[in-house]
Structure formats: structure tokens, C-alpha cells
Amino acid sequence: MARGVYIHIPFCHQICNYCDFNKVFFKNQPVDEYIESLGREIKMAVESNPTAYSNIKTVFLGGGTPTALSAEQLDRLLTLIVSYISLDDIEEYCTEANPDELTEDKLVVLKRHGINRLSLGVQSFDQELLKKLGRTHENEHVFQTIEKAKEIGFTNISIDLMYGLPGQTIEQWQNTLDQAFSLDLPHFSAYSLIVEPKTIFYNLMNKGKLPLPGEDLEATMYEMLMAQMEAHGLHQYEISNFAKPEHESAHNLIYWDNEEYAGFGAGASGYLDGVRYTNHGPLKKYMDAIDQGELPINHQSKVSLKERVEEEMFLGLRKTNGVNIKHFEDKFKKSMRDIFEGQINKLLNEGLIVETKDTLKLTQQGKFVGNEVFQEFLLD
């Protein structure tokens, strides 16, 4: 049974140099037709398996950029969503947004339809770095948009930041943190740059034209991030996420709790009834499948017990609360140590995890090498 719903809007007015998500340039795309296809996909899915969608707690619009849509297109999309998914028990209804696209008329539409959380892709407050990233907004867009959002009644607002950027200095990162804290927001996400294949940054890196900070400098930036978030009253509840009390991202916690969610839209992924699936990415393939009365699934696979156990560990360890030992045993009918005795002892000896009566979690040192810790829980 799905606890959350993810809806993918694959359109962007500008493609960022680091992004590897499924996206296309907005211009000359069948945007209105895509929105109607999305509505038909949701309708087919819910009607074919109503029980799976009977207890939805979160809805998340991602992309691409949902706010690449016009106010009228957003209104139509949100009308379709509520036509097929009950929002009666919804805890969090969130959309991603670009600061320079989230106009007042769009904010009004979002508020009217019950959106109660905004996640803005800010990334940096350094204009030079924003240009390197391929971002189009300026700092004043961020401040003006957040001020307008607050005026309209949005209180749960988050921004994304990035560090470990090409040529980024400690001073630039400190300035970005200072500007971010001046906004007095209840939530921040902050990610180190990962250079993904099929991106502009990847091509530049292969040509030796992407001057990335070294591991030591990146670690210093992460250390600054954690210390200053705590000093500003934002607790770290996941490796890259910080929140004031009761402002954690409910939707993302579904992923980290290894619970089920539905994915709709071109290239979207979902995890439902023990099956992970991915939709067709190309718009034509996605929309053609729906025109033929079929769910647009490109690939699906039953998640094995081995995979479920692995995912429980490496997703759960992302949370600062870690993996609950009793919950693990109740879920899998085996204790954590029955399966991972050697791995746990090794990581304890290395000081990368800590084991209490109730939980297994990363130490402060472990947070710096999280991916290495997670790999230890991949079973042969």
C-alpha cells in the first residue's frame, strides 16, 4: 500500500549542467497533452488497484521543474490529481520550484489547491557559481519569492543548497550559508555535487575542464554545514537534510523508511505491492502507452527478500535516528545481527556506526563516508 505519491513534470526552461533527471526543454513540447496523459495514468492506476491508494499521506511534485508550467497548467494538473487521489488525510503536499518561475499567480494556484510545502532549488547564493551550474535565477528572486510565499500563507518552505562545486571556495560556501540562514526557514537540504553520466559537467570532467574541490575541502564544507545548522536550531535528521522540529520532509522519510510509494509521469519510479517499477522516459513512448489504455511501465521487478533487507539498512542509515532494531526484526523475522554480524562488528571497530539497545546508526565520522558504510550491507 502506497503511503506517498510522486508525480514527475519533465519540463524545464533551462537544463542545469549537473542534472541527470528525466527532462526536456519546455519549448515546443506537448505540455497540455502531457498533463492530460498524467491524469489518465493516475485514473487507470487508482481504478485498477484502489486499495493501494487508500491511505495516501504525501504527494510530491518533482521534475524537471513543476513551476515551468503556467498558472493555468498547474491549475489543470492539480485539479486532475484531486479528481483521482483523495487528499482528505494528506499530511504533506509539496512541489519543487525554481525561484525565478514561482510567480504570484502560481503561488495563489498552489495555495488554493492545498499545496502546503514548497521546495526551492536555490543551490548557491554566489552568482558566478549559479552561472556555472546553468541556473537562471538571481539572489533577489529567492528573497522576493520567499517573501511573497509567506505573504500568501506558506510557512513550510525549504531550499536546496549545493557544495563541492567547481571552483567553490570556503568563503563562497560560508556566504551561501549566511544568506540561507537570513531567510529564517524551517528546512534546508544540502548536497555535495555528484557528477553524473550524461550531464554537461560529466563531459567537462572527462575533458579535464571541471576544477572540483578535493575531498578534504568538501569534507570541511560538510563539517561547516552540520555545525552551523545545529547552531541555528536545525537538527540533522538525514545525511543531507536539516529541519526545525516537526518540519522534516514527510515524503522523503517514506523513501528512507523503505516504505511503498507510487510514481506517475514520464520516467517516474514507484514501489508498490513489493514491486519496483519505472515508467517510460521519452514523452512519446509514455503518452502512446496511455493512449493505448496501458499503464506506461517500462521496467518492473519483484523486490527480493535480500534486496528488501539491504535497502532497509542503507536507506535507514541515512537517517540520523538510524535503523530501529526491533522494527527490523518484526519486519524480517530475523535479528539484524543474524544477517549482518560481521559487517556490524567491522563498522563498530572502525568507529563508523554506533549500536544502542534500540538502534544502529552512523557516528559523526560515519556521516562523512556514508556511501562506504552503506556498501558494507550489500549481501553477496
Side-chain angles (χ1 to χ4, degrees):
M1 182 182 292
R3 270 190 60 207
V5 169
Y6 172 81
I7 295 173
H8 191 73
I9 308 300
F11 306 110
C12 293
H13 290 293
Q14 169 72 21
I15 303 296
C16 297
N17 296 337
Y18 56 87
C19 179
D20 71 332
F21 292 116
N22 189 50
K23 76 280 181 187
V24 292
F25 278 112
F26 187 96
K27 191 175 181 181
N28 298 323
Q29 296 296 336
V31 180
D32 294 320
E33 294 87 342
Y34 176 80
I35 292 169
E36 298 304 318
S37 293
L38 249 177
R40 288 158 63 197
E41 181 195 1
I42 296 170
K43 181 176 187 287
M44 277 192 287
V46 173
E47 289 181 348
S48 67
N49 190 3
T51 304
Y53 300 91
S54 62
N55 191 34
I56 298 299
K57 298 299 183 186
T58 70
V59 177
F60 189 96
L61 309 182
T65 317
T67 52
L69 304 181
S70 68
E72 293 75 20
Q73 288 166 336
L74 280 170
D75 182 65
R76 178 58 180 161
L77 171 66
L78 297 170
T79 298
L80 286 169
I81 292 170
V82 77
S83 298
Y84 307 117
I85 295 173
S86 171
L87 303 182
D88 292 346
D89 298 320
I90 209 79
E91 296 172 0
E92 182 180 282
Y93 196 176
C94 180
T95 185
E96 292 180 342
N98 278 346
D100 53 341
E101 293 175 353
L102 194 50
T103 53
E104 183 173 357
D105 57 345
K106 294 180 188 180
L107 282 164
V108 169
V109 168
L110 296 174
K111 186 68 177 173
R112 188 174 74 245
H113 280 278
I115 298 283
N116 59 17
R117 185 175 189 268
L118 302 174
S119 177
L120 275 64
V122 173
Q123 318 311 0
S124 175
F125 284 94
D126 186 280
Q127 206 61 49
E128 178 187 339
L129 288 175
L130 286 172
K131 287 178 182 175
K132 286 183 183 179
L133 292 170
R135 305 293 291 177
T136 56
H137 71 267
E138 298 183 1
N139 289 352
E140 46 264 41
H141 289 128
V142 178
F143 289 96
Q144 290 167 5
T145 297
I146 289 175
E147 182 180 2
K148 182 58 66 175
K150 289 179 177 179
E151 286 176 9
I152 289 171
F154 289 97
T155 57
N156 195 359
I157 302 172
S158 175
I159 64 172
D160 288 354
L161 303 173
M162 296 179 73
Y163 60 95
L165 301 176
Q168 187 179 29
T169 65
I170 289 291
E171 291 73 25
Q172 286 172 316
W173 179 228
Q174 183 62 64
N175 178 63
T176 281
L177 289 174
D178 290 341
Q179 300 263 38
F181 292 132
S182 75
L183 292 165
D184 189 27
L185 298 178
H187 190 282
F188 295 92
S189 300
Y191 306 98
S192 64
L193 174 68
I194 298 175
V195 181
E196 302 284 3
K198 300 180 182 178
T199 63
I200 293 171
F201 272 180
Y202 185 79
N203 294 333
L204 288 172
M205 185 178 71
N206 285 342
K207 295 175 183 177
K209 297 181 179 180
L210 194 71
L212 295 173
E215 287 184 6
D216 289 347
L217 184 55
E218 188 175 304
T220 299
M221 291 178 177
Y222 186 45
E223 196 167 21
M224 290 168 60
L225 170 73
M226 290 189 289
Q228 294 182 37
M229 286 288 173
E230 184 176 355
H232 283 83
L234 294 127
H235 74 278
Q236 184 176 22
Y237 69 99
E238 191 269 347
I239 283 181
S240 303
N241 285 270
F242 306 80
K244 291 182 179 178
E246 299 182 5
H247 285 85
E248 299 84 356
S249 169
H251 185 79
N252 285 337
L253 280 166
I254 291 173
Y255 302 146
W256 302 320
D257 287 340
N258 199 21
E259 299 198 24
E260 296 194 342
Y261 58 95
F264 296 117
S269 297
Y271 177 30
L272 204 56
D273 295 333
V275 174
R276 290 202 184 274
Y277 65 90
T278 307
N279 281 350
H280 290 296
L283 295 189
K284 187 174 188 312
K285 278 193 174 183
Y286 168 81
M287 294 166 69
D288 283 350
I290 292 168
D291 286 343
Q292 293 163 18
E294 301 171 357
L295 288 173
I297 295 173
N298 177 48
H299 176 77
Q300 59 184 338
S301 61
K302 185 78 175 173
V303 181
S304 68
L305 176 60
K306 169 181 170 292
E307 290 169 325
R308 287 171 57 214
V309 166
E310 291 173 340
E311 290 169 358
E312 192 78 12
M313 296 303 295
F314 63 70
L315 291 171
L317 282 169
R318 291 191 65 88
K319 300 176 296 181
T320 52
N321 286 341
V323 183
N324 184 281
I325 292 170
K326 185 178 185 306
H327 176 75
F328 183 97
E329 188 166 350
D330 290 344
K331 190 170 184 177
F332 298 110
K333 311 307 177 193
K334 277 192 173 184
S335 76
M336 211 180 282
R337 279 192 167 272
D338 282 344
I339 303 171
F340 296 113
E341 178 83 22
Q343 294 93 324
I344 291 171
N345 288 337
K346 176 177 182 286
L347 293 166
L348 285 170
N349 289 336
E350 293 173 352
L352 301 179
I353 61 171
V354 62
E355 184 179 24
T356 69
K357 180 172 71 73
D358 299 317
T359 61
L360 192 77
K361 56 188 178 182
L362 294 177
T363 61
Q364 192 74 353
Q365 181 186 349
K367 292 175 186 176
F368 287 89
V369 289
N371 287 335
E372 294 174 26
V373 175
F374 306 151
Q375 288 174 9
E376 290 289 335
F377 293 97
L378 294 174
L379 297 166
D380 293 332

